[in-house]
Amino acid sequence: MLLKSKKLFDDAKKVIPSGVNSPVRYFEPYPFFVKKSNGRYIWDADDRKLIDFCNGYGALLLGHRRKEIISSVSKQLKVGTLYCAPTENETELSKLIVKNYPSIDKVRLVNTGGEATMTAIRLARGYTKKNKIIKFEGCYHGAHDSVLVKAGSGSAHNGISVSEGGLKDVSKKTLVAQYNNFEDIENIIKKNNDIAGVIIEPILANMGLILPEKNFLKHVRKLTKQNNIPLIFDEVVTGFRISTGGAQKYFGIKPDITTMAKALSNGFGIAAVGGKKQIMDQLSPGGKVYQASTFAGNPIAVSAALASIKTLNKLENKLYSKLEKYCARFSKAVDDLATDFHIPHQINFTSSMMQIFFSDKPVTNYETSVNADAKKFKKLFSTLLKNKVFIAPSQFEVVFLSDAHTSTDLNKTLDAYRIALKAVKN
Ligand SMILES: Cc1ncc(COP(=O)(O)O)c(C=O)c1O
């Protein structure tokens, strides 16, 4: 038993609902509490040193406390933490985002991924003067009413398809299409002429990992263009993680609006919504689509994002090709282990992300992910954790590699997977 974490959790429950500040952080019997982190490690309250593959749910592409970022933030701390008046750094950061994302002419900085998608959807509605949006089953775009419909991540994990307290009048305007099923979205668009936008995770990273099938995104892009419907790529996970130009660069597709967050700043609270000039200029005060936030563009998070993008741009080829190689090798090794144990399974991986599903069918959408064996995944997770490897505690999340992982770490992690898969088998 982790005595200190248990005690801290019991204490937290008295003042924090369920003891955690975001649902996926809870797992049975109680989550470990964190003392500190560095590089690829997290130390818990009971002094265990864990290899981290949760990595801030994808944010920490460069690892914990990356020196370039800590140095930039430390400098900023000396000259101020919040001004609520514009800074040159905000313009520099926006220029860097525009340079890396050819689909983006203008950017507004916000604080969270959910705030970015909320703004993107409001922009699409304001621009088109239409009401409904189309999202895909299992895609998670944050915890607001328009998108918390058949969503992945913690809402799928906790079996919440539409949240209580959410306005049905809002979620009714959200139409849900099956991921990787082009005919489904085609039919929905044929039957509805009030579509303000289509929002999609170009790589679905909230039902485990689900890759878009060949040409699916291209078809969606063509269809939305033909019907004058803004296409929103939610790159909150994939932005700066799949490449410096996100998944859109990787697949060669230009959406009309893009949201990004996590790897944008490598661990600070900042997100961005960007897109074509004519859409972005709808934002207030110049336009009539209202969006505002006290902490938007705050100097600390902006300084982290600047350092993060500069580092990524400097390392570009070396970093992404290394991670791709590591991830492919690691995924293949986990695949071989599960095969050796005769456990029915699927491995999905790309770039620096992977996940295993305990299923004998390929996992290509919400349904096939939900039908994978969650109990086996739970066993995998808890045994990995006992062996000092921390992956996200749900099969609907993803194993994220970072630049801080070494091949020695991956070998140690494979040893832990061997033990964990044996436990799954038994
Ligand atoms: C694809 C995607 N969009 C949006 C969000 C919401 O971001 P946040 O948790 O920062 O609000 C997430 C969170 O995991 C996400 O994965």
Side-chain angles (χ1 to χ4, degrees), residues 118-130:
M118 189 176 72
T119 306
I121 288 167
R122 189 174 293 166
L123 263 171
R125 287 191 170 126
Y127 179 69
T128 58
K129 312 278 183 279
K130 294 185 173 179

Side-chain angles (χ1 to χ4, degrees), residues 107-357:
V107 187
R108 180 143 297 175
L109 301 174
V110 294
N111 303 287
T112 66
E115 205 187 327
T117 59
M118 189 176 72
T119 306
I121 288 167
R122 189 174 293 166
L123 263 171
R125 287 191 170 126
Y127 179 69
T128 58
K129 312 278 183 279
K130 294 185 173 179
N131 294 299
K132 292 181 182 156
I133 59 153
I134 298 175
K135 79 174 283 286
F136 290 84
E137 261 182 341
C139 285
Y140 179 73
H141 304 293
H144 52 96
D145 290 0
S146 287
V147 289
L148 211 52
V149 184
K150 268 273 172 111
S153 186
S155 72
H157 188 65
N158 292 298
I160 295 172
S161 173
V162 176
S163 170
E164 279 191 18
L167 277 178
K168 298 234 164 30
D169 286 346
V170 175
S171 52
K172 221 164 54 188
K173 302 271 187 232
T174 301
L175 309 176
V176 182
Q178 191 178 44
Y179 201 80
N180 276 329
N181 182 344
F182 179 65
E183 279 166 19
D184 201 22
I185 179 172
E186 205 178 21
N187 284 334
I188 293 175
I189 289 178
K190 255 188 217 150
K191 286 189 202 139
N192 288 279
N193 57 11
D194 190 25
I195 308 289
V198 170
I199 184 164
I200 188 166
E201 282 185 74
I203 294 172
L204 210 179
N206 282 290
M207 285 309 294
L209 185 69
I210 296 178
L211 304 179
E213 283 170 2
K214 196 163 184 281
N215 293 329
F216 175 62
L217 295 173
K218 279 208 171 103
H219 284 323
V220 171
R221 174 65 284 191
K222 199 166 156 204
L223 179 70
T224 45
K225 214 170 233 171
Q226 280 166 349
N227 289 276
N228 290 319
I229 299 170
L231 176 62
I232 305 165
F233 264 18
D234 180 356
E235 298 229 39
V236 162
V237 171
T238 52
F240 288 103
R241 176 167 274 277
I242 297 297
S243 75
T244 46
Q248 52 195 269
K249 182 177 173 189
Y250 189 81
F251 293 115
I253 294 171
K254 280 189 178 176
D256 302 296
I257 306 176
T258 300
T259 55
M260 61 184 79
K262 308 193 182 218
L264 168 64
S265 70
N266 205 71
F268 286 77
I270 188 167
V273 50
K276 291 184 171 160
K277 180 179 179 309
Q278 62 270 33
I279 298 179
M280 295 307 293
D281 280 342
Q282 304 295 316
L283 280 176
S284 183
K288 293 232 156 43
V289 175
Y290 199 72
Q291 176 279 334
S293 162
T294 304
F295 285 95
N298 75 79
I300 300 298
V302 167
S303 70
L306 271 175
S308 184
I309 299 181
K310 283 179 189 171
T311 307
L312 292 175
N313 278 147
K314 201 166 108 198
L315 295 176
E316 185 135 16
N317 293 332
K318 251 172 55 194
L319 172 82
Y320 292 102
S321 61
K322 179 192 96 170
L323 284 171
E324 229 166 85
K325 232 185 279 160
Y326 274 25
C327 186
R329 208 189 305 149
F330 180 69
S331 302
K332 168 85 174 56
V334 175
D335 194 1
D336 288 348
L337 283 173
T339 305
D340 288 349
F341 283 117
H342 303 288
I343 303 170
H345 71 281
Q346 308 291 325
I347 303 267
N348 288 350
F349 73 92
T350 187
S351 193
S352 53
M353 317 196 282
M354 66 86 70
Q355 190 53 288
I356 185 169
F357 299 89

